[in-house]
Amino acid sequence: MTLSADIKKLERHFVPKNFTVTDWKALEPYFKNLANRALNSRADLEQWLKDMSELEAVVSEDACWRQIKMTCDTTDKSLEDAFAYFCMEIQPKLQPYSDQLNRKLVDSPFTKELDQQKYFTYLRSVKKNIDLFREANIPLQAELSVMQQQYGAIAGKMTVEVNGQEYTLQQAAKFLESHNRSLREQVYRKIQERRLQDQQAMHDLYSQLIQKRDQVAKNAGFANYGDYKFVELGRFDYTKQDCFQFHEAVKLHVLPLIDKIYRKKKEKLKLDTLRPWDTEAEPEGTEPLKPFTNSKELYEKSVQCFEQLNPFFADCLRKMDELKHFDLESRKGKAPGGYNCPLTESGAPFIFMNAAGQMSDVTTMVHEGGHAIHSFLAHKLELSAFKEYPMEIAEVASMSMELFSMNHWESFFDNAEDLKRAKEHQLERTITIFPWIAIIDKFQHWVYEHPQHSIEERTAKWMEIQKEFSTNSIDYSGLDAYRQIGWQRQLHLFEVPFYYIEYGIAQLGAIGLWMQYQQNPQQALQNYINALSLGGTKTLPELYAAAGLKFDLSPAHIKTLMEFTAKEMDKLN
């Protein structure tokens, strides 16, 4: 298979070439056409599916651009209004048609004549959507789409002053790498104090989201939103019991490793106690890693790195740059976080992030770069629905790239000592993220199983769960006020509920692929490409198998992967 990043925007055959989404009146005739069209043969059905796919791509891309523009500038009210207009005026009118078209597909006698293997996951997903659809949820889901974005607006305004200069919280985090301990503590406290100023707004927003989400679940006949969301997210291949098993495995096999990492950090810094503002620090005389100075350099060095892995990967980034599909630098008024947004019609996705010159930005860039490659590889699939892959494989694409790319980080670091430190930082992060994933996941299960809880109960439960997954290596004494709202920095809780365990599942897959890479780099990269090229056309276990991986959340499997990672870390010393 010859890979090319010379991606072409999908040609339109059903929707006019110059059509843009403005309002429902202009859009509805295309949905009506699909709803009313006679399907008299398998060929008719296949053409109908192609036309529906084309329309979905046009609408999806328009919605994506509205969100991208709004997150790039949260201060421009017109951009927020354009996004809200889509959520409140277009999306709600689309949903009944989506349900009608889903039913038309399932009811057609020619659906049985389709290649059942090729269409299996798509049809399974369509049936799931039919089961979940409730007219009463349309206005609620529209309100939720708009409310969820308020998180970015609140967080995007947060800045602190350090040494007389204003910084976003992402930019200020770089001071936590300083060897000046009093500066680290001062900045840590400033960041936390700034979060405290908006804690009530965050609490209120979250409480409102919980109530609305609970109502959506009840309307659809579910006991709670967690159970509803499991079905909506298409988690056909594992249960919430598997998630609880994952939490236990983290306690058993990951926490001891983290304890070891932090004990070593404490010795390195020659400290009696390790405080939370010390975990990213370097000893006196060791300068923080400076992998790049601005977003242009971050892009160029990432291209060099990807070129070493596989020229196709570098070409994907070049194509995105050519299309101006990057917004990398942190600035005031920009929403927090980072994402890769697939653009179904264009094919080449958009990468958004808040780079501030830190090592963690390199990780974010290669992570989102992995997602981007996934978008490129799946673009050739013939239906938009085939490109909707499960998040548990999407995050394997990104997290594997973090580990694969380490072997080629010379583009970011020209001396061996810095390169070693960068790899160490990456492997530490690979391990230390597991407890946070377990905490966020367990917290969400509790929140939605007890939707009527008070803020006090929520805070108490959050503190209890944090304690359960903490080691004694870090001294948090006197910091309870900050820790009680630690969950408020996790955008997923507000914007994409229950989407977090995927990172844990995928990190296991990524470590598995990295094990393959250490033994046979070419084969591992081929497995990676094979799996990602399938998009969402196979089940999760099948996608993992295509990557040469086992889909397994058992403590025994997690133990094996942790032992391998620990050995790799030891090799660096």
Side-chain angles (χ1 to χ4, degrees):
M1 178 170 63
T2 314
L3 298 172
S4 167
D6 189 23
I7 213 158
K8 296 279 188 289
K9 192 168 181 170
L10 295 177
E11 244 184 272
R12 292 184 185 179
H13 301 282
F14 172 54
V15 180
K17 289 182 176 41
N18 58 354
F19 177 84
T20 54
V21 178
T22 49
D23 57 18
W24 177 244
K25 195 174 156 213
L27 196 54
E28 189 177 23
Y30 302 103
F31 282 93
K32 268 195 169 142
N33 174 311
L34 292 168
N36 298 331
R37 193 186 300 178
L39 303 178
N40 299 318
S41 65
R42 177 180 160 175
D44 281 357
L45 176 63
E46 287 178 330
Q47 187 55 52
W48 180 84
L49 283 168
K50 282 179 188 162
D51 291 347
M52 180 162 66
S53 173
E54 184 183 307
L55 183 59
E56 282 167 358
V58 170
V59 173
S60 156
E61 181 142 339
D62 177 80
C64 287
W65 276 116
R66 288 172 195 246
Q67 185 170 8
I68 289 165
K69 287 173 181 172
M70 179 185 66
T71 52
C72 289
D73 184 2
T74 62
T75 65
D76 186 332
K77 184 79 172 66
S78 69
L79 299 175
E80 188 187 333
D81 290 347
F83 178 78
Y85 180 82
F86 185 91
C87 295
M88 301 304 287
E89 301 298 329
I90 296 177
Q91 188 70 32
K93 296 184 175 78
L94 282 175
Q95 283 169 289
Y97 272 106
S98 292
D99 183 58
Q100 201 182 334
L101 298 176
N102 282 340
R103 289 171 194 274
K104 183 168 178 150
L105 171 61
V106 167
D107 293 343
S108 168
F110 302 105
T111 300
K112 291 184 182 66
E113 293 180 22
L114 295 171
D115 179 340
Q116 292 307 302
Q117 214 179 350
K118 180 176 161 185
Y119 285 91
F120 172 74
T121 53
Y122 173 38
L123 291 172
R124 178 173 74 166
S125 190
V126 164
K127 285 168 190 160
K128 173 260 295 181
N129 290 336
I130 292 171
D131 291 344
L132 287 185
F133 179 77
R134 298 292 184 282
E135 201 84 44
N137 280 339
I138 294 173
L140 286 173
Q141 285 161 336
E143 287 171 48
L144 280 166
S145 297
V146 175
M147 278 172 69
Q148 285 161 190
Q149 298 304 320
Q150 288 172 26
Y151 175 79
I154 299 168
K157 292 189 184 87
M158 293 186 189
T159 62
V160 292
E161 202 177 277
V162 184
N163 299 334
Q165 204 173 329
E166 189 182 26
Y167 294 92
T168 64
L169 301 195
Q170 285 87 356
Q171 290 167 334
K174 68 181 176 193
F175 292 105
L176 300 176
E177 296 177 6
S178 166
H179 48 68
N180 178 339
R181 197 180 193 202
S182 63
L183 175 67
R184 292 200 304 265
E185 181 178 353
Q186 179 201 348
V187 172
Y188 173 86
R189 289 182 182 276
K190 278 188 174 182
I191 290 173
Q192 305 301 332
E193 288 294 333
R194 180 62 192 87
R195 289 192 193 281
L196 279 178
Q197 284 176 37
D198 281 320
Q199 66 164 321
Q200 198 53 48
M202 291 292 200
H203 266 304
D204 293 346
L205 174 60
Y206 198 45
S207 296
Q208 289 164 25
L209 289 169
I210 291 164
Q211 293 317 311
K212 278 208 174 8
R213 287 166 181 164
D214 185 56
Q215 191 57 54
V216 165
K218 300 280 198 304
N219 288 349
F222 286 82
N224 62 67
Y225 186 70
D227 291 351
Y228 167 87
K229 199 67 186 168
F230 243 74
V231 176
E232 194 200 33
L233 287 167
R235 290 180 178 168
F236 298 103
D237 302 301
Y238 61 100
T239 65
K240 66 179 175 184
Q241 273 60 47
D242 291 316
C243 296
F244 301 150
Q245 190 184 1
F246 171 86
H247 303 162
E248 290 309 307
V250 168
K251 279 191 250 182
L252 278 174
H253 302 302
V254 183
L255 287 182
L257 264 181
I258 291 174
D259 223 8
K260 192 175 153 191
I261 288 168
Y262 287 141
R263 275 201 312 271
K264 200 176 137 202
K265 174 75 79 176
K266 189 170 80 170
E267 285 161 24
K268 204 163 128 188
L269 295 171
K270 299 185 172 60
L271 296 173
D272 295 332
T273 58
L274 194 70
R275 302 284 273 163
W277 48 82
D278 297 322
T279 58
E280 296 295 322
E282 291 295 348
E284 193 79 53
T286 307
E287 285 303 312
L289 291 168
K290 289 199 173 61
F292 62 95
T293 51
N294 56 37
S295 57
K296 183 174 183 287
E297 204 178 300
L298 172 61
Y299 161 74
E300 286 168 352
K301 290 182 170 184
S302 302
V303 170
Q304 282 172 38
C305 171
F306 277 22
E307 184 74 47
Q308 297 299 311
L309 265 174
N310 184 319
F312 163 71
F313 298 167
D315 286 344
C316 293
L317 297 186
R318 289 189 188 104
K319 184 67 182 176
M320 290 165 68
D321 186 51
E322 180 195 314
L323 296 168
K324 299 194 168 33
H325 284 194
F326 285 109
D327 185 340
L328 304 179
E329 224 147 24
S330 180
R331 59 179 177 273
K332 191 180 175 183
K334 187 174 172 182
Y339 60 74
N340 169 81
C341 185
L343 295 164
T344 324
E345 200 179 17
S346 301
F350 188 99
I351 288 182
F352 168 100
M353 60 182 279
N354 279 274
Q358 293 167 271
M359 181 54 223
S360 57
D361 297 326
V362 172
T363 303
T364 302
M365 181 66 173
V366 296
H367 176 102
E368 302 305 344
H371 281 312
I373 286 156
H374 202 173
S375 298
F376 275 87
L377 287 168
H379 184 61
K380 67 176 192 328
L381 295 166
E382 63 190 292
L383 298 183
S384 297
F386 291 169
K387 302 171 197 182
E388 288 173 16
Y389 31 78
M391 287 307 160
E392 297 84 353
I393 192 75
E395 296 302 342
V396 169
S398 53
M399 290 173 147
S400 301
M401 192 53 76
E402 293 177 29
L403 297 169
F404 289 159
S405 65
M406 280 197 306
N407 284 24
H408 303 289
W409 281 357
E410 288 86 356
S411 56
F412 293 99
F413 305 101
D414 47 18
N415 83 63
E417 189 50 40
D418 283 356
L419 184 58
K420 181 175 93 82
R421 276 170 58 205
K423 288 181 177 179
E424 207 169 5
H425 178 277
Q426 178 59 41
L427 292 186
E428 283 177 6
R429 191 181 167 281
T430 299
I431 292 170
T432 55
I433 194 173
F434 277 108
W436 184 249
I437 291 165
I439 290 167
I440 292 291
D441 190 57
K442 191 163 185 175
F443 179 60
Q444 295 201 78
H445 280 286
W446 181 84
V447 159
Y448 292 104
E449 278 166 17
H450 305 83
Q452 302 306 323
H453 65 264
S454 65
I455 287 176
E456 292 68 31
E457 287 168 327
R458 182 192 299 165
T459 303
K461 193 67 190 179
W462 169 254
M463 292 297 274
E464 179 195 312
I465 294 171
Q466 264 192 125
K467 196 173 171 196
E468 207 184 315
F469 291 91
S470 293
T471 70
N472 297 321
S473 327
I474 301 174
D475 174 10
Y476 288 103
S477 54
L479 303 173
D480 275 5
Y482 303 153
R483 295 196 83 204
Q484 284 168 359
I485 60 160
W487 58 274
Q488 294 187 356
R489 69 176 194 266
Q490 194 60 60
L491 134 164
H492 297 69
L493 293 172
F494 295 85
E495 295 187 8
V496 274
F498 279 98
Y499 176 20
Y500 213 65
I501 189 75
E502 286 89 342
Y503 291 109
I505 294 170
Q507 189 73 288
L508 301 175
I511 295 170
L513 265 169
W514 184 48
M515 276 172 84
Q516 292 178 29
Y517 187 80
Q518 300 297 72
Q519 286 150 11
N520 186 337
Q522 285 325 107
Q523 187 57 56
L525 289 176
Q526 195 52 57
N527 287 349
Y528 175 81
I529 289 165
N530 291 347
L532 305 192
S533 300
L534 293 168
T537 58
K538 300 285 178 196
T539 66
L540 204 46
E542 285 170 339
L543 290 170
Y544 269 58
L549 298 168
K550 217 167 31 156
F551 186 77
D552 185 354
L553 304 185
S554 70
H557 182 56
I558 291 173
K559 181 172 187 265
T560 306
L561 295 173
M562 288 306 116
E563 284 169 352
F564 167 76
T565 312
K567 275 192 194 121
E568 290 297 316
M569 285 183 79
D570 289 343
K571 279 185 199 170
L572 290 171
N573 298 308

